[in-house]
Amino acid sequence: MAFIELVTEKIVKTPLVSKDKPDVLRELVQILKDAGQIEDYEAVLKAVQEREGKMSTGLQDGIAVPHGKTDAVSGLTLAIGISPAGIDYDALDGEPSKLFFLLVAPPDQSGPHVMALSDIAKLARSKAFCRALVHAESAQEVVELIRGD
């Protein structure tokens, strides 16, 4: 399934309420749980935390892509969180992260995971697009921007 097909209002939250990195991870996984995308919150959170423990997934230009692999999902799942104020996420450039794309996939499905990371990287190249996402006032607006509606 393509990244764009995963983007629905129920997996988008703006603004996030979290103020720090551990809370962001919990909040993003809760988005998946609330959307009916996962059943085992703890297993998914553990997978994401373990991956984050190896190296921060805070990239640059306000983008973070926390991700993990676990048997607790049957296919690629996505949650998008936006923090207009930014959150210290140990990003590569030292700047606060504002756009969070959580990806969780089964250990045996690397292809969709890598493709989604590539799609996110393409979106992130446009600073104007990223600014528009950060300033989106609703999940619906985020979905429309990403889908190009």
Side-chain angles (χ1 to χ4, degrees):
M1 181 177 285
F3 167 80
I4 202 163
E5 294 170 17
L6 297 172
V7 180
T8 63
E9 286 182 46
K10 67 183 180 179
I11 58 94
V12 175
K13 185 169 182 187
T14 185
L16 292 171
V17 297
S18 300
K19 302 294 182 209
D20 61 28
K21 186 176 188 172
D23 283 348
V24 169
L25 295 176
R26 286 190 283 275
E27 189 172 2
L28 290 169
V29 174
Q30 188 65 47
I31 292 167
L32 292 178
K33 177 104 172 115
D34 293 346
Q37 301 290 312
I38 61 168
E39 291 183 22
D40 192 339
Y41 172 93
E42 293 300 328
V44 173
L45 181 61
K46 182 179 179 202
V48 174
Q49 288 172 327
E50 285 177 357
R51 169 58 188 85
E52 198 66 36
K54 294 176 183 172
M55 185 173 119
S56 178
T57 56
L59 305 178
Q60 52 196 22
D61 299 323
I63 297 170
V65 189
H67 55 278
K69 299 222 174 188
T70 176
D71 288 320
V73 295
S74 58
L76 181 65
T77 58
L78 167 72
I80 300 171
I82 299 173
S83 175
I87 297 167
D88 180 3
Y89 199 81
D90 302 323
L92 294 175
D93 60 5
E95 295 297 317
S97 297
K98 297 180 178 185
L99 298 173
F100 298 87
F101 298 90
L102 172 70
L103 294 168
V104 184
D108 62 344
Q109 291 184 21
S110 291
H113 187 100
V114 171
M115 290 293 293
L117 287 170
S118 173
D119 289 343
I120 292 166
K122 287 175 191 165
L123 290 176
R125 285 190 202 126
S126 169
K127 294 198 188 315
F129 179 75
C130 289
R131 273 193 305 276
L133 285 178
V134 168
H135 295 302
E137 295 187 11
S138 67
Q140 178 183 350
E141 189 177 347
V142 171
V143 171
E144 289 170 357
L145 284 165
I146 290 174
R147 290 191 168 197
D149 293 346

